[in-house]
């Protein structure tokens, strides 16, 4: 068994939600990822759309149970001391596939080993094992301290975890903002619509992670809202509706909600070049990238079309685009499991 120590920590992470090209919805999930030697473990799994068991939308008792399972204290329903490290972000069901590992104590240390993907009680280690990941040996004191700070102390309330994502939509409760709010709520982002954010209480304004200005909001109204946010010391990111296309607007909100530090990001850049004939995508490490085009047709009807879906190696990539999908005023969105970028198609 490995004798080389690695560090253990927890870092905030996000599974980006959205409205897919076929109209299906993908849930937004905030969770804590495992940092091994300072790097998120999920980044090492290039084609995995998953969240850790430490999802911030769990109830306090369920969250505490997941922490105790990782310590490891609670029993696991899986065979061979295996515990779920990453699971399905939509249902958390084992049938969808989960990444598991043996988590065990070795003297004062904690060891994670034999990583694998499984859909039943027993994985096939040879076929489904992640042979290039682990084993990891953590110093027990450091490992337990990182997890135990998420548990309530004796007689004390549970530690306060970050609140779920919230979006404030500024404008009339018209069809577009109503549809956007409904889509955001469908994927797990709280959304409210108002015409008067200027007189909102500062404590309330600080709860929002993103503020969306509708198309009818003029410069004076926008400046007044920005002044109210500044006075409230809000950290919300403000965005303006690019086009009346709900999947595109959801992507704008997801991009604004992303607080991932630059050194943890995999999706670095998206641009449309050569008159829209190509997209340039840059990634820091191998990951699955999906490109989607959004535009309005001649009758102002929204059109969304999937253009590309593959795992990209680290670096910059030029991807040919179907010119029919990006004609006129159009936009591209690039999606990985944890991030979204939006870019206009230059002409």
């Amino acid at each position: 068994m490995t004798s080389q120590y690695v560090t253990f920590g927890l870092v905030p992470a996000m599974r980006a939600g959205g409205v897919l090209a076929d109209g299906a919805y993908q849930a937004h999930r905030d969770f804590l990822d495992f940092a091994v030697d300072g790097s998120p473990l999920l980044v090492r799994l290039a084609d995995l759309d998953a969240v850790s068991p430490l999802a911030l939308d769990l109830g306090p008792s369920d969250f505490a149970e997941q922490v105790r399972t990782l310590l490891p204290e609670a029993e696991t329903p899986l065979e061979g001391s295996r515990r779920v490290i990453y699971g399905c972000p939509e249902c958390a069901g084992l049938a969808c596939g989960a990444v598991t590992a043996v988590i065990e104590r070795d003297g004062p240390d904690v060891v994670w080993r034999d990583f694998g993907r499984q859909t039943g009680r027993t994985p096939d280690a040879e076929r489904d094992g992640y042979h290039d990941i682990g084993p990891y040996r953590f110093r027990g004191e450091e490992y337990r301290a990182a997890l135990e700070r998420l548990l309530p102390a004796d007689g004390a309330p549970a530690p306060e975890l970050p609140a779920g994502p919230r979006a404030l939509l500024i404008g009339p409760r018209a069809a577009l903002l109503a549809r956007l709010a409904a889509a955001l709520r469908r994927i797990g982002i709280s959304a409210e619509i108002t015409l008067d954010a200027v007189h909102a209480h500062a404590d309330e304004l600080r709860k929002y992670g993103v503020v969306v200005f509708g198309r009818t909001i003029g410069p004076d109204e926008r400046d007044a809202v920005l002044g109210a946010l500044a006075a409230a010391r809000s950290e919300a990111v403000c965005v303006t509706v690019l086009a009346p296309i709900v999947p595109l607007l959801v992507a704008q909100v997801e991009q604004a909600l992303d607080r991932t530090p630059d050194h943890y990001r995999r999706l670095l850049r998206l641009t449309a070049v050569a008159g829209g004939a190509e997209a340039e995508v840059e990634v820091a490490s191998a990951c699955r990238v999906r490109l989607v085009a959004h535009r309005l047709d001649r009758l102002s009807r929204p059109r969304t079309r999937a253009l590309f879906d593959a795992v990209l190696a680290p670096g910059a990539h030029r991807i040919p685009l179907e010119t029919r999908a990006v004609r006129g005023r159009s936009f591209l969105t690039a999606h990985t499991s944890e991030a979204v970028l939006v870019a206009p198609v230059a002409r």
Side-chain angles (χ1 to χ4, degrees):
M1 187 175 293
T2 179
S3 59
Q4 183 175 357
Y5 285 103
V6 293
T7 63
F8 179 85
L10 299 169
V11 295
M14 178 182 88
R15 190 265 190 152
V19 183
L20 304 183
D22 62 1
Y25 289 86
Q26 178 172 286
H28 175 106
R29 304 291 301 279
D30 291 301
F31 62 100
L32 298 177
D33 197 6
F34 312 109
V36 177
D37 270 350
S39 298
L41 182 58
L42 188 57
V43 170
R44 307 185 190 190
L45 303 168
D47 192 23
L48 187 66
D49 180 15
V51 299
S52 82
L54 303 180
L56 302 184
D57 53 2
L58 294 176
S61 60
D62 290 338
F63 187 88
E65 182 68 16
Q66 296 297 337
V67 173
R68 293 188 177 96
T69 298
L70 293 166
L71 274 170
E73 293 176 355
E75 294 295 324
T76 171
L78 304 179
E79 296 179 355
S81 298
R82 302 192 71 85
R83 297 168 194 267
V84 173
I85 304 301
Y86 296 109
C88 173
E90 298 290 341
C91 69
L94 190 63
C96 292
V99 176
T100 66
V102 175
I103 300 180
E104 60 187 6
R105 293 192 178 100
D106 186 21
D109 303 331
V110 175
V111 174
W112 288 19
R113 62 175 175 84
D114 299 340
F115 288 78
R117 184 171 176 83
Q118 65 183 97
T119 56
R121 287 180 57 82
T122 306
D124 186 326
E126 189 63 33
R127 182 191 63 195
D128 300 321
Y130 288 101
H131 304 294
D132 57 340
I133 297 180
Y136 300 126
R137 177 177 292 272
F138 307 111
R139 289 181 171 85
E141 183 177 351
E142 174 189 67
Y143 180 89
R144 286 186 288 275
L147 290 168
E148 286 175 351
R149 67 170 58 103
L150 302 175
L151 296 173
D154 292 339
E160 186 174 348
L161 297 172
R166 293 182 68 182
L168 181 62
L169 315 184
I170 310 294
R173 194 175 294 274
L176 178 61
L177 291 188
R179 293 201 308 272
L180 174 58
L184 292 173
R185 293 169 190 147
R186 180 79 178 266
I187 68 173
I189 298 174
S190 297
E192 291 85 38
I193 305 173
T194 184
L195 269 173
D196 184 17
V198 173
H199 297 101
H201 194 279
D203 290 343
E204 184 65 20
L205 290 179
R206 283 193 291 269
K207 294 178 181 179
Y208 295 100
V210 59
V211 173
V212 179
F213 291 101
R215 305 175 78 203
T216 63
I217 300 301
D220 292 343
E221 293 174 280
R222 180 186 175 94
D223 289 345
V225 173
L226 292 176
L229 292 170
R233 298 183 180 178
S234 166
E235 297 182 354
V237 175
C238 295
V239 300
T240 300
V241 167
L242 289 175
I245 305 172
V246 171
L248 174 65
L249 302 183
V250 171
Q252 283 188 263
V253 170
E254 285 287 1
Q255 179 175 337
L257 287 172
D258 190 354
R259 303 293 196 270
T260 306
D262 289 344
H263 58 284
Y264 288 158
R265 292 181 184 271
R266 288 198 283 188
L267 183 58
L268 302 178
R269 185 167 54 89
L270 168 67
T271 55
V273 296
E278 291 181 313
E280 187 168 283
V281 179
E282 184 177 0
V283 296
S285 61
C287 59
R288 180 185 176 190
V289 176
R290 294 182 290 113
L291 287 182
V292 180
H294 307 270
R295 67 180 181 89
L296 296 175
D297 66 15
R298 288 179 296 177
L299 299 177
S300 297
R301 295 173 299 191
R303 299 299 187 202
T304 296
R305 185 167 180 174
L307 301 178
F308 177 84
D309 188 343
V311 174
L312 296 180
H317 303 265
R318 285 186 174 245
I319 301 169
L321 302 177
E322 298 178 36
T323 55
R324 288 184 301 174
V326 292
R327 62 192 175 194
R329 185 166 180 258
S330 54
F331 303 86
L332 288 181
T333 55
H335 305 252
T336 64
S337 61
E338 77 279 5
V340 180
L341 291 181
V342 179
V345 178
R347 293 295 167 190

